[in-house]
Amino acid sequence: MLSKHLMTRMSVRDIRLKWPEAERKLAIVGEIVVTRDSKPVARILPYEPRQRRSRGRFDPVEHSRWLRTFWKRQPRQASTDQLLKRERAD
């Protein structure tokens, strides 16, 4: 039986033409080194989905508090009305 620490080598052409075989080898061995002209160019590893962080429920009060602190740190800018008045005055 093959160990998970072994790897197998396949050419780009072999992978393209013999994908089911490559997939079986990947399941057994755990890694395929892809070669082109007998030189390694890439590795194929089994896909492992990322663990997603669980998010808490949306709290509108907490969000409002966050918005107020966020906007306090932003530089004061002219309102759209003020900008329009300036442009029209020119």
Side-chain angles (χ1 to χ4, degrees), residues 1-44:
M1 175 147 190
L2 294 172
S3 165
K4 284 282 187 183
H5 299 291
L6 295 176
M7 64 181 163
T8 191
R9 296 170 75 101
M10 291 183 79
S11 70
V12 173
R13 183 171 189 243
D14 285 342
I15 289 174
R16 201 174 58 227
L17 296 175
K18 303 174 186 176
W19 176 247
E21 180 186 333
E23 212 170 3
R24 279 191 299 276
K25 285 183 179 182
L26 184 61
I28 294 169
V29 178
E31 177 179 352
I32 296 176
V33 175
V34 182
T35 60
R36 180 179 290 132
D37 299 326
S38 300
K39 295 181 181 119
V41 293
R43 289 183 346 178
I44 299 177

Side-chain angles (χ1 to χ4, degrees), residues 32-74:
I32 296 176
V33 175
V34 182
T35 60
R36 180 179 290 132
D37 299 326
S38 300
K39 295 181 181 119
V41 293
R43 289 183 346 178
I44 299 177
L45 301 171
Y47 177 74
E48 294 177 11
R50 291 189 208 169
Q51 297 295 323
R52 292 185 65 171
R53 285 190 313 150
S54 64
R55 293 168 61 179
R57 290 182 56 89
F58 178 74
D59 181 5
V61 175
E62 181 61 35
H63 186 67
S64 298
R65 189 176 308 127
W66 179 84
L67 282 173
R68 280 194 299 276
T69 58
F70 174 82
W71 286 112
K72 277 183 187 176
R73 289 179 270 155
Q74 300 303 314

